[in-house]
Amino acid sequence: MKEQEAPSPVRVPWNAFPDVIVHSSIYRLKCLPAYYAAKRGDHKAASQIAHALVKTENIAGVEFVVPVIQVDSGRYNAIPVAVGAVLAKQIGARLWLDVCQTNKVDHTDAGAQVRLQNQPIFGGTSPKGKCLICDDVVTYGATLANLRGFLISTGAEVVAATAIGAAYGSTKLAPELNLIVNLQRRYGQELERCTETLGFGSECLTAREAHFLAGMRTAERIRDCVAQRAGSRNRARGIGV
């Protein structure tokens, strides 16, 4: 019997996608007493965080708020759903909980290579309208990129992304055009073969992913970096939200 091929993440070209809207900082988020309980699935703690940190001044024209629903390090992270709930209520949008991450990647405290190799994959039913996607933090941007790709590929319109905190340089999900062009010129088809093993073309890399690959220096190092694609299946559907 032929082994079933593992699913790949979905990404689409950035097309001048706006910078991530950030509400606070990773440092302030992690300093809150409720943080670790919320990361372990405590909805009350997550709601306290969202009400304390979420701001809506720069968010408008959205019909749906779609949070990242995922299991990380074996536990359900309740913060994105709480952020989405607060945002949806305050801007008059609908909270959409029918899309979730279907694999386990354990990105918390992981390095660039692990994050690149272990791409989040999403499934479910997408809304038909203008969507705001949200997460607790953005680091290399893969989770937001893949959630956006899934939603757009299934008929939704993603107009913006937001997070409570962001790592340095990660608010710009879409890389500068010259960065991608330089990568393509330097590594040619080898770059495409490597990124396609992850499930997408090089034009769909996030800015931080592209900078990381640019630092690899040689095509061989890029190939070695992405060769160990992993990420066990872990259906997150059925999480009580």
Side-chain angles (χ1 to χ4, degrees):
M1 183 175 177
K2 187 177 180 180
E3 185 177 349
Q4 186 176 4
E5 186 177 349
S8 295
V10 179
R11 290 197 191 181
V12 296
W14 289 106
N15 297 329
F17 192 71
D19 293 356
V20 177
I21 301 166
V22 178
H23 302 270
S24 185
S25 68
I26 296 176
Y27 175 78
R28 187 178 177 193
L29 170 63
K30 290 187 174 182
C31 283
L32 292 177
Y35 173 72
Y36 290 101
K39 288 287 282 189
R40 293 192 295 267
D42 186 325
H43 292 283
K44 185 175 180 180
S47 181
Q48 291 173 358
I49 289 172
H51 280 95
L53 299 181
V54 167
K55 303 172 184 177
T56 59
E57 291 87 352
N58 299 320
I59 301 174
V62 173
E63 298 171 84
F64 300 94
V65 179
V66 185
V68 171
I69 301 177
Q70 65 175 335
V71 173
D72 204 356
S73 299
R75 296 181 181 276
Y76 164 60
N77 178 6
I79 301 174
V81 172
V83 170
V86 170
L87 283 169
K89 183 176 181 180
Q90 292 186 2
I91 66 177
R94 180 179 174 186
L95 178 65
W96 191 265
L97 301 176
D98 289 344
V99 173
C100 64
Q101 188 174 315
T102 62
N103 66 331
K104 180 179 177 181
V105 295
D106 292 344
H107 277 184
T108 299
D109 299 324
Q113 183 171 340
V114 171
R115 289 173 179 272
L116 195 64
Q117 291 171 348
N118 295 274
Q119 292 287 328
I121 298 169
F122 290 88
T125 304
S126 297
K128 300 298 184 272
K130 295 183 178 180
C131 300
L132 170 71
I133 55 177
C134 67
D135 205 351
D136 55 347
V137 300
V138 55
T139 307
Y140 277 80
T143 302
L144 290 175
N146 297 356
L147 176 56
R148 171 181 177 266
F150 173 78
L151 290 169
I152 292 174
S153 71
T154 51
E157 180 183 357
V158 181
V159 297
T162 188
I164 290 180
Y168 178 78
S170 63
T171 56
K172 292 186 179 295
L173 290 176
E176 297 290 339
L177 179 60
N178 64 341
L179 174 59
I180 297 299
V181 169
N182 289 339
L183 276 173
Q184 292 170 340
R185 286 175 178 170
R186 185 190 304 178
Y187 303 121
Q189 287 302 309
E190 186 64 32
L191 174 67
E192 298 307 320
R193 282 191 289 269
C194 288
T195 59
E196 284 170 6
T197 65
L198 302 174
F200 45 84
S202 61
E203 74 279 3
C204 296
L205 289 164
T206 69
R208 288 202 71 190
E209 288 173 340
H211 279 293
F212 173 69
L213 292 181
M216 292 284 97
R217 303 297 183 185
T218 68
E220 290 74 17
R221 291 185 66 185
I222 290 180
R223 187 166 55 246
D224 292 342
C225 174
V226 302
Q228 304 173 28
R229 184 184 167 201
S232 61
R233 295 286 290 171
N234 182 38
R235 289 261 171 205
R237 303 174 201 275
I239 292 173
V241 291

